[in-house]
Structure formats: C-alpha cells, structure tokens
Amino acid sequence: MAGQNCLVANDWICWDYVTSRSQELTDATVQHVWITGVSVVIGLVVSLPLALLARRGRRWAAPVLGLTTLLYTVPSLAMFSLLLPLFGLSASLVVTGLVLYSLTILVRNAMAGLEAVPEEVREAARGMGYGPGRLLWQVELPLALPALLAGVRIATVSTVALTTVGSIVGKGGLGNLIAPAVNSSFKAQVLTASVLCVLLALVADLALLGVQRLLTPWTRATRAPRAARRAKPVPAEPAAPAATTPTKGA
Amino acid sequence: MGVLGQAWDWLADGANWSGENGVWHRLGEHVYVSGISLAIACALALPIGLWLGHIGKGGALAINVSNIGRAVPVFAVLALFMVSPLRSAGYLPTVAALVLFAVPPLLTNAYVGMREVDRSVVEAARGMGMSGGQLFWRVELPLARELVMTGLRSGAVQVIATATIAAMVGQGGLGRIITAGFNTYNTPQVFAGALLVAALALLVEGALVAADRLFPRPAAR
C-alpha cells in the first residue's frame, strides 16, 4: 500500500517504481553500458595509432594534439547535432561523438605512457635484438599500460556521464528515462536514472581499476603509490587535459 | 558544402535573429546564465583552491572533487533540479547545475597551480622573512597565475558549451536553437546553433586571453 502511494504522491524515492519498471530500467542501463563500452573501445583502437603517430615528432604531434583538443571543446549537444547529417538518428551518431571526445584523454595518456618508458630500457631491448614491432608490443606498451589504463578510466567515467546527452536522438541509455520524466515531473524516474548513471560510472571505474591491477601486477608491490599518483590528473600546458578535461559537460 | 551553406543562409536571415526565439534573445540568455554561473563558481572555487594550495593541504579533496564532478552528468543534475521546486525559479536550476559543473576544474587548477610553484622559491621568500600573506600575494599567486588562468579559460569555455544542455529540459539559451532545429528536422538551423555556441566560446576565450595580457606579468622566471 505504501508502495502504491509513493507513485501517486510522486516521491523522490520510490521502490515501487524500481520494481514495476525494472524492465525499462534494465533496457536503459544495458543500452547505456553498450554505448559507453563500444565508444571507449573504438576510442582506444583509434587513439593508439594516433599516439604512435604523434610520438614520431613535432610535425605530427601538434596537429594530432591540437585536433583532439579542439574536438573536446565542441559542446556535446552541438556535437551530436553536427554529426546528424552524417549518421541520422542512430546509435552510431552518439557513439561517434563519444569516440571523438574520448580521443583527447586517451591519446594524451597513451603518449604520456610511451614517453615515460626509460630510454635505457629501449636501448637494452634493441641490444637484445628486438625489432621496432617487438619492442613496441613486448616492452613499450606493457610499460605504458598503467598510464594508458588510467586514461581509459577517465575516459570511461566521463563517457558514462556524456552518454545521457544522447537522449536527444533517443539513444542516451539512462538519459532516455530522464528527458521525458522532466516534462512529466516524474521525480522517482529522474532520481533513479540519475543515481544509476552515477553508480554505473563508479562501478566501471572500480572494474577498470581491477583490470589495471591484474594487467600490471608489477606496479602493485612497491610502486603502487607512484603509479596511482601518476594516474591523477596533472595539468600540463597548453591545454591542461587533466584538471580541466575530465568534467566534460553532460 | 550543402549544410554549411544552408546554415549560413539561416544565420543571414534577419527574421531568425529577432523575437522571443530569435538569436539575440537566446544569446542574451546564454551569456547571462553562463556569466553568472562562472562568476559564482569562481567566487566559490578560487579562494578555496588557492588557500588549500597555499597551506599545502587538502590535495585529496581538490582532486576528488574533480573526479566526482566527472562522473556526474550535468544533464541529470539539471533534470533533478527541474523536477524539484526549483523548477519555477527561472534561471536558478541552470545556474546551480552549471556552478556545480564549473567548480571542479577551477578548484583543481587553482590548487595545482599553487602547489606547482617551485618549493625553493617559496623557501627563499620565507627566508627573506615574508609573512604568509606576503608569500601568498607576492610570490605564490603571481607564479600560479598561468595555471589558474588556464583553469578559468577552460572553465569558461566549458560552461558556455554546457549551458546548451539547459535546452534539453526546456530552459533558455542558444541550445534552444539547436533543439528547436532538431524537433523540426531543420538541420541547417541545428548547424547554425552549434556554430553560434562555438563562436561565443571562442570569443570569450579570446576576451579572457586579452584581459590576462592587460595585467603586468611577473618578471621572467
């Protein structure tokens, strides 16, 4: 009886809403997770070659970093709008926008990780007869992994938040529940979807932290604090990616 | 060129600039809301960030505020305000959401800027007998200025960009031009709205850079 009342009374917290609309909530969450997941994975696949390209010298670094930073300043609502003529009202529209945003963070972190590989390690590997490809896969990438994964965590968390804006084309995961609920003043739906969205970001962050620990066991023993500190955003000139980029408006 | 040309035609049409839904009115709303939000966020974040940086404590707070801010969707915060009693409070929901969103980068940059000041310079100033206040105003703040201004600039650009989200819950601003175009499948209008927001962001960034140049810089490092 109390449950029925909370829907009628339009309470903020309403368990009855969660149970009666569990299918709707699950669908929205699943859509949210896959849009975020696909975006980050594509972002990662695109950003690695870009980072390798940017590493080849100033001539490549400036345009790559400049372009990805410029993309980040495009408002999310405008970004989805500008891509509209290319993709129409589809999930690929949202995913493309999110990928473009994730590049800023991922490229910078991949570069920072690759640059942090000590030169003597490279020299040693070359001395042991490693070619460029093997050097990259077996030495440089594993050593760059902590910084790279730190970037993946930042990108994932902000992508989870940004996905909600995709509701403008009906592909916003949990944002799809928020937008109509505002018009009808359905408090429980807005609050529940918002909380789920934040929880999703936290769960994703923790899960990736776990992956990071599994993949880089060598950082745990003695260098864990330092790795953790490096994962913290540190603003760098000219466009502080760290202190500033993380809060992309959603 | 198609859409871009049509967007240009839309912008060139004087009829689109006047009236309640015209560009001028929406631009005014946008500037008003962004300006107030940024001012409040600065008033809150800069003193706290600079002071925490000065005393060298609260680094975890500054970083964590920034991390949490990243996980909270502005759209959701705005939506929450819109279904609360704040709904009828005019611009208040938008301003409140934008302030919450602008504080983390400003706070973190102010804190990091103060902490990045060369410790040996701070020690030298102390050795010369400077008090905490003198150290803060004459040494740390001028040296931290670059990063603090970077934070302010990107904060301003992000607030302007994010203020478009307000349109998704029916509030004013340039975002309304974009959403209105969306609802009527008017792609040139959507494009024009996005261009207007980008132009405003660039203009404000340029103005902030110019304002920064007006003030004397500390002697070369």
Side-chain angles (χ1 to χ4, degrees):
Chain A
M1 181 193 135
Q4 196 60 35
N5 280 343
C6 77
L7 273 174
V8 176
N10 197 13
D11 285 336
W12 283 103
I13 299 166
C14 184
W15 187 247
D16 203 41
Y17 164 74
V18 180
T19 49
S20 63
R21 310 285 183 89
S22 62
Q23 190 55 46
E24 206 176 278
L25 282 167
T26 314
D27 290 348
T29 309
V30 168
Q31 189 187 58
H32 208 112
V33 168
W34 83 253
I35 286 183
T36 306
V38 168
S39 305
V40 174
V41 168
I42 297 179
L44 200 57
V45 170
V46 177
S47 65
L48 271 181
L50 283 178
L52 290 174
L53 190 69
R55 197 173 61 138
R56 303 198 76 133
R58 282 233 142 262
R59 199 148 52 92
W60 292 106
V64 167
L65 289 178
L67 190 67
T68 52
T69 309
L70 186 74
L71 283 172
Y72 209 85
T73 62
V74 179
S76 46
L77 189 57
M79 176 75 97
F80 293 143
S81 327
L82 294 180
L83 293 170
L84 186 64
L86 295 174
F87 295 96
L89 297 171
S90 67
S92 23
L93 165 82
V94 180
V95 168
T96 309
L98 293 174
V99 166
L100 291 177
Y101 284 135
S102 72
L103 289 183
T104 315
I105 299 163
L106 292 174
V107 168
R108 276 171 191 277
N109 273 271
M111 278 183 72
L114 288 171
E115 271 163 20
V117 176
E119 191 52 43
E120 59 264 30
V121 171
R122 279 199 198 100
E123 289 298 321
R126 278 195 206 103
M128 286 165 71
Y130 279 50
R134 209 166 147 221
L135 176 71
L136 180 68
W137 278 111
Q138 297 188 356
V139 178
E140 291 183 308
L141 277 183
L143 285 175
L145 215 49
L148 187 65
L149 288 173
V152 172
R153 282 174 62 196
I154 297 176
T156 306
V157 169
S158 55
T159 304
V160 169
L162 267 175
T163 301
T164 53
V165 181
S167 69
I168 186 145
V169 293
K171 303 284 178 189
L174 290 161
N176 289 351
L177 297 181
I178 297 176
V182 169
N183 296 327
S184 58
S185 277
F186 192 174
K187 290 178 182 172
Q189 183 162 323
V190 175
L191 186 68
T192 310
S194 304
V195 168
L196 275 178
C197 198
V198 175
L199 277 181
L200 207 58
L202 294 180
V203 169
D205 196 40
L206 282 178
L208 285 169
L209 181 66
V211 171
Q212 185 177 349
R213 293 231 166 141
L214 278 178
L215 287 179
T216 59
W218 63 89
T219 56
R220 226 178 316 168
T222 52
R223 297 190 23 216
R226 198 200 284 174
R229 212 177 307 141
R230 202 196 301 149
K232 291 275 156 61
V234 177
E237 294 297 318
T244 52
T245 46
T247 37
K248 179 78 204 169
Chain B
M1 202 58 199
V3 176
L4 202 59
Q6 286 172 306
W8 186 254
D9 290 341
W10 190 91
L11 284 172
D13 185 353
N16 290 325
W17 287 73
S18 56
E20 182 78 346
N21 295 317
V23 172
W24 287 122
H25 183 68
R26 295 301 180 201
L27 188 66
E29 289 175 335
H30 206 98
V31 169
Y32 177 76
V33 165
S34 316
I36 289 189
S37 309
L38 193 65
I40 296 175
C42 283
L44 287 174
L46 292 185
I48 298 175
L50 292 173
W51 183 68
L52 286 178
H54 174 65
I55 62 171
K57 284 179 186 151
L61 174 81
I63 303 286
N64 282 329
V65 163
S66 172
N67 284 352
I68 295 168
R70 196 190 293 142
V72 179
V74 177
F75 176 47
V77 173
L78 198 52
L80 283 174
F81 283 137
M82 284 308 288
V83 289
S84 76
L86 281 181
R87 182 188 193 108
S88 47
Y91 292 116
L92 200 60
T94 316
V95 171
L98 286 178
V99 167
L100 281 179
F101 164 71
V103 161
L106 288 172
L107 182 70
T108 310
N109 256 25
Y111 176 83
V112 174
M114 291 295 272
R115 294 313 294 160
E116 299 251 300
V117 172
D118 193 343
R119 285 299 103 189
S120 57
V121 174
V122 174
E123 290 304 316
R126 276 227 181 81
M128 285 164 67
M130 276 195 180
S131 69
Q134 286 174 320
L135 186 69
F136 178 85
W137 289 108
R138 296 209 212 148
V139 179
E140 290 179 313
L141 196 54
L143 288 173
R145 173 176 158 179
E146 197 81 32
L147 263 185
V148 176
M149 283 306 292
T150 306
L152 181 63
R153 279 209 310 274
S154 43
V157 170
Q158 284 178 30
V159 163
I160 290 171
T162 311
T164 49
I165 305 284
M168 290 181 72
V169 294
Q171 296 271 298
L174 288 173
R176 282 295 279 273
I177 294 174
I178 298 176
T179 49
F182 240 108
N183 295 335
T184 53
Y185 299 98
N186 187 349
T187 309
Q189 184 182 339
V190 168
F191 216 93
L195 285 178
L196 284 168
V197 178
L200 182 63
L202 285 176
L203 200 71
V204 169
E205 168 132 39
L208 283 173
V209 170
D212 188 35
R213 293 235 172 98
L214 287 180
F215 294 99
R217 315 211 131 255
R221 279 178 279 176

